[in-house]
Amino acid sequence: MANSQKNMAITGEAPAALSKTQKISSGIGILGLFILLLALLNVNFPNKTLFLSLSIGLVTLGTVIFAKDLYSGKHAGIKNDGVWFKSMTARGIWAWITGIALTLFYVVLYWLPHFLGLNPEGGNTGLIALFDPLSKLINGGPASQWFVYGTLYTLAIFIFGYKFLLKYRHNRYQRLRTFSVMFFQLGFAFLIPEILVRLNQPYYNPANIWPLNYDLFAGYKLQEFFSAGNLGFFMFVFGLISIFVITPILTYKYGKRWYCSWVCGCGGLAETAGDPYRHLSDKSLFAWKVERWVIHSVLVFVTVMTIAVVYSFLGETPTEFWLTKDVFLGGSAGFLTLLFAAIMIFKRKQLAKDAKYGAIGYLVIILAIIGINYFSGNNNIFFFAGYQLREWYGFLIGAAFSGVIGVGFYPIFGNRVWCRFGCPMAAILGMQQRLFSKFRITTNGGQCISCGNCSTYCEMGIDVRAYAQKGQNIVRSSCVGCGICSAVCPRGVLKLENESTDGRIDSEEVLLGNDVNLMELLNQKAK
């Protein structure tokens, strides 16, 4: 007698149970994780190289077999089968357990690494000791909690990237950008910094650009650069060029996607390991308003902090170096004022009303504090020592937000909560994309059937369908250009383009082409 399905849907079937192959592969992967758990419990393995290789190999093998069985034999195309019915992807009990477990791991990693076995003054124990052989092979020294994290982070991007490649195998754009984030994570974010340490050079990740790399201008980092000879000087200059040359040019040509979806490690993990949770992003108008204010407040915070740490590093006498504290303060105030004036003069029509007021308020506050410091002679700019601001930023944003909340709660808030609400790099690139870039997502409203796939699976919380229904270009500062909206569209309505800036943003009368006008339209509908 057939089993009845408790499913009231007219179409579709209940989520399928795991196949025999998937159950076996899950067991293989769990066995690999069990080895890591034993190491965490201070089990002293006799051959750490063997057991570390066994652990990584089993986790990789289990994930590869699982993904292969999940997508092999199926037609190419996006199949998000049952994501709203599964506990892990619908904020069920397993999602909460996973979120809490990841959060606890990040708390221990950032603030209690001795529980992982870190012992800088003696030999490592526990989980960190298991990674000592690999660390000595790459950087010549024992492992730290950051080496363990970097290894696991890179492994996650690769094994879940393989799963992502199988799922989106029909889409060339998705395949290319997945290979790209794999390459940059392995080479630029993991191997290059560790090899530099082995060569007694400063730890430096060339793909980590200010303000995401908020330590770039810290006093200790500047000392490392300037004491490392030509290579250290090159690192510092490359950091500056990345901020003022490379980033604006690439964003102008390709939008923020060149970084957020092709290079950034945070984005790489979100797109691979976080892919099953992209539909959980909050699409509400309230979330959009909070996003705009929070992320730009973080950007102001990191700007203030950077000015403070550079100010504390500089001298006061022009005979020692031309860039004194006073010159730096004046230059910073002048640069921010000119940048603000240029945007208001040439791009004011593209700014929302609240964005204009917010920018004016932030600028006035920063200039006022700089002025007070300049005329009062207060050595602690912004009323606090630079290192204190850096510590606060590192704790609140660099650790608690980007790690504990941003990654730990993928299963609850979606995979891009850090990118939406906290990443200052995303804020800068978003402003450049909104105001100056050629990038846009064009829509063919006549072909749209209002299925809602695009909005559902937009990880940045954009109501893509609202644009598609009226055939309006999607030009949003939050869009990371992942292209999933286009990939899941059954009618080919959406297309990612890099064309002329002419006509990129629809006229002011077309409501859905402008962020603030869209907000006003939604408010009117709500009333």
Side-chain angles (χ1 to χ4, degrees):
M1 184 175 181
N3 294 328
S4 62
Q5 296 288 346
K6 297 179 180 180
N7 182 3
M8 297 182 66
I10 297 177
T11 60
E13 299 178 356
L18 295 180
S19 67
K20 183 178 180 180
T21 301
Q22 292 171 8
K23 291 178 181 178
I24 294 174
S25 62
S26 297
I28 294 174
I30 291 174
L31 183 59
L33 293 175
F34 184 66
I35 295 176
L36 296 181
L37 178 61
L38 291 177
L40 185 62
L41 297 176
N42 285 322
V43 172
N44 188 17
F45 294 104
N47 189 329
K48 292 181 174 61
T49 302
L50 173 63
F51 279 91
L52 177 61
S53 302
L54 190 61
S55 174
I56 294 176
L58 289 173
V59 171
T60 302
L61 180 63
T63 306
V64 168
I65 295 175
F66 188 99
K68 186 75 173 177
D69 183 75
L70 182 62
Y71 295 109
S72 62
K74 291 185 177 180
H75 295 294
I78 312 303
K79 295 177 178 61
N80 296 299
D81 298 333
V83 292
W84 289 111
F85 299 95
K86 297 176 182 177
S87 176
M88 181 62 79
T89 55
R91 299 191 182 100
I93 183 64
W94 284 111
W96 279 98
I97 291 174
T98 303
I100 292 172
L102 288 172
T103 299
L104 290 176
F105 171 75
Y106 271 92
V107 170
V108 173
L109 178 76
Y110 279 104
W111 298 297
L112 303 168
H114 58 279
F115 285 123
L116 300 177
L118 181 66
N119 187 8
E121 298 179 356
N124 289 327
T125 59
L127 180 64
I128 294 181
L130 185 65
F131 285 79
D132 277 345
L134 181 61
S135 179
K136 292 176 181 178
L137 176 66
I138 299 177
N139 64 35
S144 66
Q145 77 269 37
W146 304 120
F147 181 85
V148 174
Y149 179 56
T151 303
L152 296 178
Y153 199 101
T154 304
L155 177 65
I157 288 180
F158 266 75
I159 61 176
F160 289 109
Y162 174 77
K163 178 175 177 288
F164 190 92
L165 287 170
L166 291 180
K167 180 178 180 180
Y168 297 90
R169 62 188 183 276
H170 70 293
N171 192 299
R172 181 172 178 269
Y173 180 80
Q174 300 302 328
R175 297 197 307 271
L176 287 176
R177 73 185 187 91
T178 303
F179 283 124
S180 177
V181 296
M182 287 179 172
F183 168 77
F184 280 101
Q185 175 59 34
L186 178 63
F188 284 63
F190 183 60
L191 290 180
I192 289 179
E194 298 295 339
I195 293 173
L196 286 172
V197 172
R198 188 183 187 93
L199 299 175
N200 294 320
Q201 297 296 331
Y203 185 93
Y204 183 69
N205 175 4
N208 206 17
I209 303 173
W210 184 92
L212 198 59
N213 179 14
Y214 59 88
D215 275 345
L216 179 64
F217 299 106
Y220 83 94
K221 202 66 180 180
L222 293 176
Q223 291 285 8
E224 287 183 0
F225 287 147
F226 297 147
S227 61
N230 292 333
L231 182 58
F233 182 73
F234 170 79
M235 294 177 186
F236 176 70
V237 172
F238 182 79
L240 293 177
I241 293 175
S242 298
I243 300 169
F244 297 106
V245 180
I246 296 177
T247 292
I249 291 177
L250 290 180
T251 306
Y252 168 73
K253 291 177 65 67
Y254 305 109
K256 65 191 290 186
R257 60 177 171 159
W258 76 268
Y259 188 79
C260 296
S261 292
W262 288 69
V263 175
C264 179
C266 300
L269 188 69
E271 292 297 327
T272 52
D275 176 66
Y277 309 109
R278 62 174 61 251
H279 60 287
L280 299 177
S281 61
D282 193 337
K283 311 296 194 300
S284 68
L285 179 61
F286 175 76
W288 186 8
K289 291 180 177 180
V290 172
E291 170 190 339
R292 288 155 59 88
W293 283 100
V294 172
I295 195 171
H296 291 102
S297 296
V298 172
L299 177 59
V300 171
F301 189 0
V302 74
T303 302
V304 167
M305 183 270 295
T306 302
I307 293 176
V309 296
V310 175
Y311 176 84
S312 62
F313 179 79
L314 296 174
E316 297 182 355
T317 57
T319 56
E320 296 178 1
F321 190 62
W322 66 270
L323 186 58
T324 63
K325 291 185 176 182
D326 289 344
V327 172
F328 174 71
L329 283 184
S332 299
F335 174 78
L336 292 173
T337 302
L338 289 175
L339 179 63
F340 175 82
I343 293 175
M344 286 298 178
I345 293 174
F346 299 106
K347 297 292 182 178
R348 64 182 180 276
K349 293 183 178 180
Q350 299 177 20
L351 290 174
K353 184 182 297 184
D354 59 341
K356 294 177 183 178
Y357 293 155
I360 293 173
Y362 283 137
L363 181 67
V364 169
I365 292 172
I366 294 176
L367 293 182
I369 296 176
I370 291 177
I372 292 172
N373 177 271
Y374 181 82
F375 291 107
S376 66
N378 176 23
N379 289 326
N380 290 332
I381 188 172
F382 302 108
F383 312 111
F384 295 98
Y387 76 91
Q388 288 182 316
L389 288 176
R390 178 180 160 273
E391 289 177 353
W392 294 342
Y393 183 88
F395 172 80
L396 295 173
I397 308 301
F401 205 148
S402 65
V404 175
I405 298 175
V407 178
F409 269 69
Y410 274 5
I412 307 302
F413 300 125
N415 61 326
R416 285 275 190 173
V417 63
W418 158 248
C419 307
R420 285 186 67 184
F421 297 96
C423 179
M425 185 68 177
I428 286 183
L429 295 178
M431 289 190 294
Q432 294 175 354
Q433 173 173 274
R434 180 71 174 85
L435 299 176
F436 308 108
S437 178
K438 291 182 176 182
F439 173 70
R440 93 263 335 244
I441 300 178
T442 57
T443 62
N444 183 354
Q447 293 293 320
C448 180
I449 58 175
S450 299
C451 66
N453 283 351
C454 52
S455 294
T456 298
Y457 296 105
C458 176
E459 58 194 356
M460 299 305 291
I462 301 173
D463 188 4
V464 180
R465 180 173 59 179
Y467 292 89
Q469 287 175 331
K470 292 196 173 183
Q472 305 304 321
N473 289 342
I474 302 173
V475 183
R476 287 280 292 275
S477 59
S478 58
C479 177
V480 294
C482 67
I484 297 297
C485 60
S486 176
V488 300
C489 178
R491 300 282 290 173
V493 172
L494 304 162
K495 183 179 180 182
L496 283 67
E497 294 185 358
N498 301 305
E499 300 295 340
S500 170
T501 55
D502 296 336
R504 171 175 173 265
I505 297 180
D506 300 294
S507 63
E508 296 182 25
E509 290 75 18
V510 181
L511 295 178
L512 289 179
N514 184 286
D515 287 355
V516 67
N517 287 334
L518 176 56
M519 294 175 67
E520 292 175 353
L521 175 64
L522 294 175
N523 283 327
Q524 290 174 5
K525 288 184 177 181
K527 294 178 180 179

